[in-house]
Amino acid sequence: MRTSTRVLLALALAAALLVGAVLWLGRGGDGGGRTVVGLRIWDESFVPRYRASLAEFERANPDLEVRITVVPWSSYQQKLRLDVAGGTADDLFWTNLYEDYADAGRLLDIGAALGAEAARSWDPSAVAQYTRAERLWAVPQFVDAGTAVYYNRDLLAAAQVDPAELAALRWSPSGDDGLRPLLRRLAAVAAWAYNAGHDFQSIELPYLGSAGARFQDDHDRFVFDSPQGVAAFDYLVRLIADGLTPSPADTNTNPDFAKNAFMQGKLALFQSGTFNLAQISEQARFPWGVALLPEGPDGRVSTNNAVGVAASAATRHPDAVRRVLAWLGSGAGNRYLAEDGAAIPAVVSEQQRYRDYWGGKGVDVAPFFDVLRGPRISPGGGPGFPAALRAVEPIFAEMYLGRIPVPEALSRARSAAESAAALN
């Protein structure tokens, strides 16, 4: 090999090594001297709202850039678990099941990062949800309020049901109640009357709570197979067996089946939360309204849930992360999430924006909030909770299909949940 060839090869190799070194050292930056902070969420519709909020932040902080990654909900929790364990998670990420990460030391302490005063401006229920061992582990972003019932005015009119009747609906384990007869009237004019089935937040928790049962006790033990829990699930299974709801063969495998059926005008009553309000408003082609959810033996009981932003303890940019968190938890940064009625901001001072938006659209959102004046049921949590939920799903699916009696199914599901949680 001639000397000139050796020199050229040496120069090329040196250049390649130099480029590699620059890329390695520059990871976390944009090549323009700015620090890049990653934010992972699971809902594509929130990207424009976050981008608008973060554009204002970046104008005031030109040395920082926040890049948003969307991971679909169907794979979000599993991928996040793997990435957090491997230290490759984004600097910031949405969470609603955080306990395992906090207990393992994988999250930044929000109180230490932002100061104890920061939490005073946030929804108290959201702060309580993300507080564990007297430490706060996420900056609340938005809350769901409570569960209510969307109704199709045309189908109610066809069944000669006054919407005012919905406010007085009661269910009883004995079946001697007002809900079942009303559903039969609606089933005569609609493909389905109601969305009883496997919906943890909107159906199962409210029925458990209003029966006087709980999913977990105060020590994170699973207790949904209590006599009251059996009564609640038995009532739901009987509604399904009576043909008043969509088939579990559809709803077990497609969590959006009932929502889509409602928006297509095939389902008369859809029990759900504010997280579906914007989509229903955009896509429903019939007059609709919102009513209080049915009352049970222990009254009307709902849960409410919040989504927060947690920070990875493995971040290489803790100061930049702290600044972004402070913005996302401020009124100025959080209010963008209320644009177009998309979500209820976790900053209390901004929540009226949500009510005002829907009031201007002629939608009374009071039922979502009024139900929270009564007792609430905890959405659950603790170490191994996501794994426990995954463990009960196939058993619940068989129960709703009528293949396993309710008492046996709940007993098996509790054992499966306990075993799954213990392994995580």
Side-chain angles (χ1 to χ4, degrees), residues 29-34 62:
D30 68 348
R34 293 188 297 177

Side-chain angles (χ1 to χ4, degrees), residues 1-19:
M1 185 181 295
R2 290 185 296 182
T3 301
S4 59
T5 305
R6 292 195 188 98
V7 170
L8 288 173
L9 287 174
L11 289 172
L13 179 60
L17 291 173
L18 181 59
V19 169

Side-chain angles (χ1 to χ4, degrees), residues 110-137:
I110 299 301
L114 302 185
E117 293 297 312
R120 293 183 181 274
S121 64
W122 302 330
D123 190 294
S125 65
V127 172
Q129 179 179 334
Y130 289 105
T131 298
R132 184 171 178 82
E134 300 183 351
R135 294 183 179 182
L136 186 63
W137 298 105

Side-chain angles (χ1 to χ4, degrees), residues 32-93:
R34 293 188 297 177
T35 298
V36 174
V37 173
L39 169 63
R40 182 185 303 192
I41 65 176
W42 62 66
D43 190 335
E44 183 79 37
S45 70
F46 278 81
V47 172
R49 298 173 181 93
Y50 269 121
R51 276 271 47 99
S53 174
L54 293 168
E56 182 177 341
F57 170 78
E58 289 168 357
R59 284 193 294 271
N61 297 268
D63 60 319
L64 296 184
E65 179 187 351
V66 182
R67 292 180 182 170
I68 302 170
T69 299
V70 179
V71 176
W73 172 254
S74 59
S75 59
Y76 188 92
Q77 300 292 1
Q78 182 178 6
K79 180 168 176 52
L80 180 64
R81 187 177 184 85
L82 293 172
D83 291 347
V84 169
T88 58
D90 295 85
D91 302 282
L92 302 170
F93 50 84

Side-chain angles (χ1 to χ4, degrees), residues 62-315:
D63 60 319
L64 296 184
E65 179 187 351
V66 182
R67 292 180 182 170
I68 302 170
T69 299
V70 179
V71 176
W73 172 254
S74 59
S75 59
Y76 188 92
Q77 300 292 1
Q78 182 178 6
K79 180 168 176 52
L80 180 64
R81 187 177 184 85
L82 293 172
D83 291 347
V84 169
T88 58
D90 295 85
D91 302 282
L92 302 170
F93 50 84
W94 270 5
T95 184
N96 59 354
L97 298 171
Y98 69 95
E99 291 89 346
D100 287 353
Y101 306 138
D103 292 351
R106 302 287 189 174
L107 304 180
L108 292 182
D109 181 334
I110 299 301
L114 302 185
E117 293 297 312
R120 293 183 181 274
S121 64
W122 302 330
D123 190 294
S125 65
V127 172
Q129 179 179 334
Y130 289 105
T131 298
R132 184 171 178 82
E134 300 183 351
R135 294 183 179 182
L136 186 63
W137 298 105
V139 173
Q141 291 295 279
F142 55 91
V143 296
D144 285 339
T147 299
V149 177
Y150 297 88
Y151 59 87
N152 182 317
R153 290 183 182 274
D154 288 343
L155 292 177
L156 262 63
Q160 298 184 334
V161 173
D162 189 324
E165 294 182 52
L166 302 180
L169 285 181
R170 294 179 59 89
W171 74 271
S172 169
S174 68
D176 182 18
D177 56 26
L179 177 59
R180 189 183 298 271
L182 182 136
L183 294 181
R184 290 197 181 102
R185 291 163 61 189
L186 292 171
V189 301
W192 304 289
Y194 186 49
N195 64 314
H198 184 35
D199 184 328
F200 180 66
Q201 180 169 335
S202 299
I203 297 291
E204 291 165 351
L205 286 178
Y207 273 89
L208 280 171
S210 61
R214 292 192 289 175
F215 195 78
Q216 285 180 297
D217 65 14
D218 295 335
H219 302 285
D220 294 338
R221 292 179 298 219
F222 298 95
V223 294
F224 52 79
D225 62 338
S226 66
Q228 295 89 344
V230 170
F233 279 102
D234 183 68
Y235 188 88
L236 295 173
V237 168
R238 283 188 286 132
L239 291 181
I240 294 169
D242 289 347
L244 300 173
T245 75
S247 169
D250 295 313
T251 57
N252 283 345
T253 56
N254 180 3
D256 289 330
F257 186 91
K259 177 183 67 176
N260 293 337
F262 179 78
M263 292 190 296
Q264 293 162 4
K266 299 177 181 178
L267 179 70
L269 303 180
F270 176 53
Q271 186 165 305
S272 189
T274 54
F275 43 85
N276 283 318
L277 181 54
Q279 188 176 6
I280 288 172
S281 177
E282 292 170 1
Q283 299 185 22
R285 297 292 179 260
F286 50 83
W288 55 275
V290 183
L292 283 166
L293 81 171
E295 183 177 356
D298 269 37
R300 289 186 175 88
V301 182
S302 176
T303 186
N304 66 321
N305 192 30
V307 170
V309 169
S312 171
T315 179

